[in-house]
mmCIF file of all heavy atoms in Angstrom:
data_model
loop_
_atom_site.group_PDB
_atom_site.id
_atom_site.type_symbol
_atom_site.label_atom_id
_atom_site.label_comp_id
_atom_site.label_asym_id
_atom_site.label_seq_id
_atom_site.Cartn_x
_atom_site.Cartn_y
_atom_site.Cartn_z
ATOM 1 N N VAL S 76 -23.695 14.039 9.640
ATOM 2 C CA VAL S 76 -22.305 13.891 9.231
ATOM 3 C C VAL S 76 -22.286 13.826 7.708
ATOM 4 O O VAL S 76 -22.939 12.956 7.104
ATOM 5 C CB VAL S 76 -21.650 12.635 9.848
ATOM 6 C CG1 VAL S 76 -20.243 12.431 9.300
ATOM 7 C CG2 VAL S 76 -21.624 12.756 11.366
ATOM 8 N N ALA S 77 -21.583 14.772 7.109
ATOM 9 C CA ALA S 77 -21.405 14.788 5.659
ATOM 10 C C ALA S 77 -20.160 13.982 5.330
ATOM 11 O O ALA S 77 -19.085 14.231 5.875
ATOM 12 C CB ALA S 77 -21.251 16.218 5.160
ATOM 13 N N GLU S 78 -20.322 13.009 4.470
ATOM 14 C CA GLU S 78 -19.205 12.171 4.016
ATOM 15 C C GLU S 78 -18.809 12.695 2.637
ATOM 16 O O GLU S 78 -19.585 12.589 1.682
ATOM 17 C CB GLU S 78 -19.683 10.726 3.949
ATOM 18 C CG GLU S 78 -18.604 9.726 3.689
ATOM 19 C CD GLU S 78 -19.184 8.321 3.690
ATOM 20 O OE1 GLU S 78 -19.259 7.713 4.765
ATOM 21 O OE2 GLU S 78 -19.568 7.844 2.598
ATOM 22 N N ILE S 79 -17.626 13.274 2.552
ATOM 23 C CA ILE S 79 -17.188 13.946 1.334
ATOM 24 C C ILE S 79 -16.195 13.055 0.597
ATOM 25 O O ILE S 79 -15.104 12.772 1.096
ATOM 26 C CB ILE S 79 -16.556 15.312 1.666
ATOM 27 C CG1 ILE S 79 -17.547 16.149 2.461
ATOM 28 C CG2 ILE S 79 -16.105 16.023 0.389
ATOM 29 C CD1 ILE S 79 -16.915 17.119 3.408
ATOM 30 N N HIS S 80 -16.574 12.632 -0.591
ATOM 31 C CA HIS S 80 -15.726 11.809 -1.451
ATOM 32 C C HIS S 80 -15.076 12.743 -2.476
ATOM 33 O O HIS S 80 -15.785 13.423 -3.219
ATOM 34 C CB HIS S 80 -16.548 10.753 -2.179
ATOM 35 C CG HIS S 80 -17.182 9.759 -1.261
ATOM 36 N ND1 HIS S 80 -16.953 8.416 -1.375
ATOM 37 C CD2 HIS S 80 -18.023 9.910 -0.213
ATOM 38 C CE1 HIS S 80 -17.627 7.772 -0.445
ATOM 39 N NE2 HIS S 80 -18.297 8.669 0.275
ATOM 40 N N THR S 81 -13.763 12.767 -2.490
ATOM 41 C CA THR S 81 -13.015 13.643 -3.402
ATOM 42 C C THR S 81 -12.172 12.768 -4.320
ATOM 43 O O THR S 81 -11.452 11.887 -3.853
ATOM 44 C CB THR S 81 -12.111 14.600 -2.611
ATOM 45 O OG1 THR S 81 -12.917 15.336 -1.689
ATOM 46 C CG2 THR S 81 -11.376 15.565 -3.534
ATOM 47 N N ARG S 82 -12.271 13.021 -5.624
ATOM 48 C CA ARG S 82 -11.503 12.252 -6.606
ATOM 49 C C ARG S 82 -10.700 13.206 -7.475
ATOM 50 O O ARG S 82 -11.243 14.179 -8.015
ATOM 51 C CB ARG S 82 -12.436 11.422 -7.488
ATOM 52 C CG ARG S 82 -11.693 10.522 -8.476
ATOM 53 C CD ARG S 82 -12.651 9.600 -9.215
ATOM 54 N NE ARG S 82 -13.413 10.284 -10.234
ATOM 55 C CZ ARG S 82 -12.989 10.501 -11.477
ATOM 56 N NH1 ARG S 82 -11.784 10.109 -11.855
ATOM 57 N NH2 ARG S 82 -13.754 11.128 -12.344
ATOM 58 N N TYR S 83 -9.403 12.930 -7.569
ATOM 59 C CA TYR S 83 -8.511 13.706 -8.438
ATOM 60 C C TYR S 83 -8.761 13.276 -9.885
ATOM 61 O O TYR S 83 -8.861 12.080 -10.182
ATOM 62 C CB TYR S 83 -7.064 13.438 -8.035
ATOM 63 C CG TYR S 83 -6.049 13.988 -8.995
ATOM 64 C CD1 TYR S 83 -5.791 15.347 -9.048
ATOM 65 C CD2 TYR S 83 -5.343 13.144 -9.849
ATOM 66 C CE1 TYR S 83 -4.859 15.853 -9.931
ATOM 67 C CE2 TYR S 83 -4.406 13.640 -10.730
ATOM 68 C CZ TYR S 83 -4.166 14.996 -10.774
ATOM 69 O OH TYR S 83 -3.251 15.496 -11.641
ATOM 70 N N VAL S 84 -8.865 14.258 -10.783
ATOM 71 C CA VAL S 84 -9.081 13.982 -12.202
ATOM 72 C C VAL S 84 -7.884 14.529 -12.980
ATOM 73 O O VAL S 84 -7.750 15.748 -13.138
ATOM 74 C CB VAL S 84 -10.389 14.646 -12.704
ATOM 75 C CG1 VAL S 84 -10.608 14.332 -14.176
ATOM 76 C CG2 VAL S 84 -11.573 14.201 -11.857
ATOM 77 N N PRO S 85 -6.991 13.644 -13.450
ATOM 78 C CA PRO S 85 -5.812 14.117 -14.195
ATOM 79 C C PRO S 85 -6.223 14.767 -15.523
ATOM 80 O O PRO S 85 -7.042 14.217 -16.258
ATOM 81 C CB PRO S 85 -5.009 12.845 -14.459
ATOM 82 C CG PRO S 85 -5.614 11.793 -13.599
ATOM 83 C CD PRO S 85 -7.009 12.201 -13.304
ATOM 84 N N LYS S 86 -5.665 15.942 -15.786
ATOM 85 C CA LYS S 86 -5.922 16.664 -17.038
ATOM 86 C C LYS S 86 -4.598 17.210 -17.543
ATOM 87 O O LYS S 86 -3.675 17.441 -16.767
ATOM 88 C CB LYS S 86 -6.883 17.835 -16.809
ATOM 89 C CG LYS S 86 -8.234 17.452 -16.266
ATOM 90 C CD LYS S 86 -9.202 17.186 -17.368
ATOM 91 C CE LYS S 86 -10.564 16.861 -16.782
ATOM 92 N NZ LYS S 86 -11.653 17.359 -17.548
ATOM 93 N N LEU S 87 -4.520 17.437 -18.831
ATOM 94 C CA LEU S 87 -3.327 18.039 -19.410
ATOM 95 C C LEU S 87 -3.186 19.477 -18.932
ATOM 96 O O LEU S 87 -4.186 20.168 -18.722
ATOM 97 C CB LEU S 87 -3.407 18.013 -20.939
ATOM 98 C CG LEU S 87 -3.408 16.633 -21.586
ATOM 99 C CD1 LEU S 87 -3.661 16.759 -23.085
ATOM 100 C CD2 LEU S 87 -2.091 15.923 -21.325
#
Side-chain angles (χ1 to χ4, degrees):
V76 175
E78 188 178 272
I79 304 150
H80 296 237
T81 304
R82 184 173 75 85
Y83 170 74
V84 181
K86 300 270 182 144
L87 295 173

